[in-house]
Amino acid sequence: MTQSDFNWIPINHTFTEANPVVETVFGIEGDLEPVGPALLLLQVAGVNSLSHKAFINNEQMPNWFLSPAPGASQAAQLMMESIPEGFLKKGDNTFRIERGDQDDFVVYNTVIYWRE
């Protein structure tokens, strides 16, 4: 039987030219490896560029981008991205976001959901 689990990861990082990268470690506990694709939820604000990159366990997330808020809004928004199968593993995992173009923005919280 397959079950789902999640991990809340408080990033709370303002990306600027002086602070362009954040990396954190999160765990997947238990005896089973994650199976199938997983989901990544991000709470972001102030995004203006599509050039930012994300990595899980040093694998770049394909087709990943942070969408700018509508108009000139700086409102926080919730984004959801698919994590390809095989990116997550039981034990310690890393999640890294790298700032792209000249864009200052904030990532508040993330949640990663997976099945095992």
Side-chain angles (χ1 to χ4, degrees), residues 1 8 10 12 14-16 19 34 37-39 45 49 51 55 65-66 78-79 82 92-94 100 104 108-110:
M1 175 182 246
W8 173 67
N12 296 315
T14 301
F15 290 83
T16 63
N19 293 301
L39 291 175
S49 169
S51 65
F55 300 82
F65 61 91
L66 297 176
L78 182 65
M79 309 197 58
S82 178
D92 287 342
N93 291 265
T94 59
D104 295 341
Y108 296 105
N109 297 294
T110 60

Side-chain angles (χ1 to χ4, degrees), residues 69-91:
S73 172
Q74 295 296 306
Q77 59 183 348
L78 182 65
M79 309 197 58
M80 182 171 60
E81 296 289 335
S82 178
I83 300 172
E85 184 171 5
F87 273 47
L88 298 176
K89 61 182 184 186
K90 68 179 177 178

Side-chain angles (χ1 to χ4, degrees), residues 57-70:
N57 296 323
N58 295 317
E59 296 283 339
Q60 185 172 349
M61 295 276 292
N63 304 316
W64 186 86
F65 61 91
L66 297 176
S67 296

